Amino acid sequence: MLLEADTLVYDNDADTVTAVGGVQIDYGGNKLVAQRVTYDRKSGRLIASGNVALEDGTGTKVFSEKIDITDDFANGFVNALRIETADKTYFAAESAERKDGFLTTFNNGVYTACAPCEENPAKPPIWRIKAQKIVWNGKAKTVRFENSRFEFFGQPLAFLPAFEVADPTVKRKTGFLIPGVAYKSDLGVGFNIPFYIALAPTYDLTLHGRYYTKQGFLGMAEWRQRFDNGQYNLKIAGISQKDPDQFGFNTVDGGTVGDPKKLRGMVGTKGDFAINPRWSFGWDILAQSDKNFAYTYGIPGHSSFVQQSQVYLTGLNDRNYFDMRGMRFQVQEKFLDGNSSARSEKQPWVLPSVDYAYTPDAPVFGGELNFDVNARVINRDRFDGSSAVPAVRGVEATNSRLTASAEWKRSMITDAGLVITPMFDVRGDVGQGSTTSGSVGAINTMAHNLSGLEYSQDGSRYGTVASEVRSAYNRFMASAGLELRWPVLFSSTSSSHILEPMAQLFARPDEPYGGTLGIANEDAQSFVFDASSLFERDKFSGYDRIEGGTRANIGFRYAGSYENGWTTNALFGQSYHLAGTNSFSEPDLVNAGAYSGLETETSDFVALAGFASPAGLSASVSGRFDEQTAELRRAELKAGYAASLFSINAKYTFIQAQPLYGFADDRREVSLGASTRFNENWKVFGSGTYDFESSVLVRNSVGFSYDDECFSYAMTYAETRDRDTREATQKVGFNISFRTIGDFGSDTSSFGSN
C-alpha cells in the first residue's frame, strides 16, 4: 500500500490510524482520494470522508462524501454516491453496498449512458432508468433493475417490474437482443426477435424469429466463428408463405399465373482467411429456392439486387498480382414478363476466372515491361435473348479462353518539353467452346436480324452477316504505338495552368474473327466511349474483343489551380480510324460497338470539364457529340456541395437510343440527394430519381435522424416504382438506439437494407 497525506494520527487506545489532508491511497490497483481516511485495525475497515473518489482496476470511479470499505477494497457501504465506469456509463443512488468484491447493490438508483450536462448538471439526461434496486454483478457481468421505470427527457415512458441487461463492459453475452420492427408493402409489418448465444470466445449463434403480417413466420439462424487468420459465417433462413402469389409471378400469353410454392428458403455463407501476408482465400456463396428470396426478405449480407457468389484465391507481392475465382451470378428480380418460368436460370457460371499481372522491377531497354494473363471458363444453362430485340446477352454453351499479353513502353522528354512514349504490345488467345441447338438457333436469329437493320448513326447498314459457330479458335495481335504529349505551363501570381496537347497512333492488323457471331463476347459487353477512355490503347472493356486496325487519338488535357484553392480541369478530343477494319462497326452477340461513337471512321467528339472549390462545391459535365452535326449522343452532369451542416448532390444522365445494343428508346434520368443538420445532433435527408422518358419517379426517400453520444434515432420512408407498370413498393423504417441497452427498429442488422 502506498499512502500519501499531510498528517498521520495514531490513536493507540482506539487502535486506529487517521490520515488527514490530501489523502491518496494506492493498493492492489485501487486508488482512493479523500480529505480524511480513518483505518480501524480491529475491524480492518477504511472510513473515507470529504470529496471521496475511488477508482478500481477496471477504471470505474465512485464519488461520494463518505465511503466505508474493507482494507482490501472488496466490501463496503456508501451513502449518496455516483459512479462513472470506464465505458462512460453512470450510476447514482441514495446508498450502495458492495460485497465479495464484485456484487454492488444500489438502493433507489439511477442508470444512464448519457454524460451529465456541463452547463446544468441537474438537468435530466436524454434517457435514464430509475429503479428501486439495481444489482450490478461484476462476476456474471449483468445489471438487474427491479421496480424500474424508463424516462425520456425526464418524462416516464414505461414501467418495468424487472429486467436484466449485460454489463456495459460486456461485448458478448447469451440472451435476447432488442426486438425489431419494419414495414414493406409486399410483406406487411414485420417483427423480429433475435436471441444471441455466446457459445465460446471465438464462435456464437444468433437465432431470429420474424413474423410478417402478409407472409407469416420466417426463421433464420446465423453461425459465426473467428480464427487467428480469418473468420466465416453460415446463415440459414426459411418461410412457409401465407400468400405465395405475392412473392412473384409472370405474365404468360397475357395472363397472370400464380406460384403455388409456399416453402422457400436460402443458405448463405461468407469467409475470408489470410493464408500468409501475401495470400488470402475466401468465399461468398448463396443458394436459395427462388432467385429473389434473399432480396425480397432483406437477408443481411445477401440482399444485393445482383448477387455474386464466388470462391477466390488472391496473392499480392511487390509488383506481382494473382487472382483466381469461381463465380455465379444471380439477378434477384421479382418476376419476368413473357417467360414461362419466372425463376429460370439465365446467368452464367464462371469456373474459373484467373488474372495474373507482373511488372519487373528492373527497367527493360530503359522502359517498363508488363505481363498480363487472363483465363476464364463460362457455362450458361440456357439461351438469353429475344427475337424482338436482336441483342443476345449470352448463349447456351460452355466456352473457355486463355489470353496472354506483354506490353513495353518508355517515356522520353526532349529539351523542348515534348514527352515521347513508344509502346509495343503482343497478345495471344486460345479459345474453345461447346454449343447446343439452342445456342446455334440464337446465333442464326441474331445474324438474320442484323442483316437488314440500320446500325450506324450516319445511315449505313450491316452487310449480310454469316452465322458461324466456332468450337475452337486462336488469335494473335501485335500493335505498335506512339504517344506524344507536350505539357505547357502558364502561371501568374495567383494561378497556374497546364495545357497538354496529346496525340496517339496505334498500328495493328485487323481484329481476328471480327464480325463473327460464333465467338462469344462475355466480358466486353459494357462498352462506353467517353472522355475517360479516349486515350486507351484498347477501348473494349474486356478480353473477349480485341480492337484492330490503325487508329489515332487526338485531343488535349487541361488542369488549373488557383491561389484561393479552386481547381479546374478539362479534356477534349476525337478518335480516327485510319486503316483496316473498324472493330467497333463489326457485330458480335451483344453489338458492343453499336452507337458507341466509334463505329464510323471519324469518331464522335468527347469532352469533359469540371471544377472544385475548397468550400466543398464541385461540378463536372461530360458529353459525346456527333462528329458531323454535333448532336448530343450522351451526357452526364454532376454537381455537389458539402459543408459541415449541409450537403447536396445532383446527377443528370442522357443516353440516346441504341436499338441494336438492347435499348430502343432514349434514356434520361436525374437523381438528387440532400441532407442538412439543424444543429450538432439533428439531420434531415432525402433523395429521388426521376425517369423522364417513362415519366416515373423511380425511387424517392426522405428521413430524419438524431444522434449524440448516448442516443440515436432515425426515421425513413422510401418508395420504388416499376418503370413500365408503375407499381409502387413502399418501405418504412426506423431505428432507436440506446447506448449499452440496445437497438429497436428496422436497422440493417435485423431487416436488411433493400
Side-chain angles (χ1 to χ4, degrees), residues 30 54 193 211 233 323 355 378 410 421 423 431 438 509 681 722:
N30 300 284
L54 172 64
I193 300 178
Y211 181 80
N233 66 35
D323 182 88
D355 284 285
I378 289 182
R410 178 184 178 183
T421 305
M423 294 174 280
N681 305 114
D722 185 270

Side-chain angles (χ1 to χ4, degrees), residues 39-46 69-72:
Y39 174 51
D40 190 327
R41 294 177 176 178
K42 295 178 181 179
S43 63
R45 302 187 72 86
L46 293 171
I69 58 175
T70 58
D71 55 8
D72 60 358

Side-chain angles (χ1 to χ4, degrees), residues 390-532:
V392 182
R393 298 297 169 187
V395 296
E396 180 184 355
T398 298
N399 63 79
S400 59
R401 174 189 44 75
L402 172 63
T403 299
S405 64
E407 180 190 53
W408 177 90
K409 59 183 178 181
R410 178 184 178 183
S411 294
M412 298 170 287
I413 304 176
T414 67
D415 294 338
L418 180 66
V419 182
I420 304 174
T421 305
M423 294 174 280
F424 298 95
D425 177 86
V426 292
R427 165 178 165 171
D429 300 82
V430 176
Q432 188 172 6
S434 62
T435 58
T436 64
S437 59
S439 64
V440 174
I443 294 172
N444 286 332
T445 301
M446 178 73 173
H448 174 75
N449 289 336
L450 288 178
S451 61
L453 287 176
E454 185 176 294
Y455 173 64
S456 61
Q457 285 143 356
D458 64 358
S460 62
R461 299 173 182 271
Y462 276 123
T464 301
V465 180
S467 172
E468 184 179 0
V469 181
R470 293 186 174 273
S471 60
Y473 67 90
N474 58 75
R475 300 182 296 189
F476 178 80
M477 174 66 72
S479 64
L482 181 65
E483 179 183 272
L484 303 176
R485 295 185 293 115
W486 193 11
V488 180
L489 174 65
F490 302 90
S491 62
S492 66
T493 56
S494 61
S495 65
S496 62
H497 309 267
I498 298 177
L499 182 64
E500 185 179 42
M502 186 171 176
Q504 293 176 327
L505 178 65
F506 296 102
R508 53 204 160 195
D510 293 341
E511 178 186 7
Y513 307 115
T516 300
L517 297 181
I519 294 180
N521 176 9
E522 295 284 358
D523 69 355
Q525 296 186 5
S526 178
F527 175 66
V528 175
F529 172 55
D530 57 16
S532 64

Side-chain angles (χ1 to χ4, degrees), residues 455 462-463 477 506-516 537-538 540 545-552 575-588 598-602:
Y455 173 64
Y462 276 123
M477 174 66 72
F506 296 102
R508 53 204 160 195
D510 293 341
E511 178 186 7
Y513 307 115
T516 300
R537 175 178 52 83
D538 189 332
F540 282 114
R545 291 294 306 270
I546 305 175
E547 183 177 344
T550 300
R551 178 171 293 275
S575 183
Y576 305 88
H577 178 251
L578 303 179
T581 301
N582 186 351
S583 294
F584 302 104
S585 65
E586 296 294 303
D588 62 19
L598 289 166
E599 73 278 7
T600 53
E601 298 299 297
T602 301

Side-chain angles (χ1 to χ4, degrees), residues 3-65:
L3 170 65
E4 293 184 14
D6 295 339
T7 305
L8 281 178
V9 178
Y10 293 87
D11 188 337
N12 293 326
D13 295 333
D15 203 13
T16 62
V17 178
T18 302
V20 182
V23 183
Q24 297 184 43
I25 298 176
D26 193 334
Y27 174 73
N30 300 284
K31 297 179 180 180
L32 176 65
V33 177
Q35 291 300 317
R36 182 185 183 92
V37 176
T38 299
Y39 174 51
D40 190 327
R41 294 177 176 178
K42 295 178 181 179
S43 63
R45 302 187 72 86
L46 293 171
I47 300 175
S49 60
N51 296 324
V52 182
L54 172 64
E55 181 177 351
D56 65 16
T58 65
T60 299
K61 300 176 181 178
V62 180
F63 303 93
S64 179
E65 279 300 309

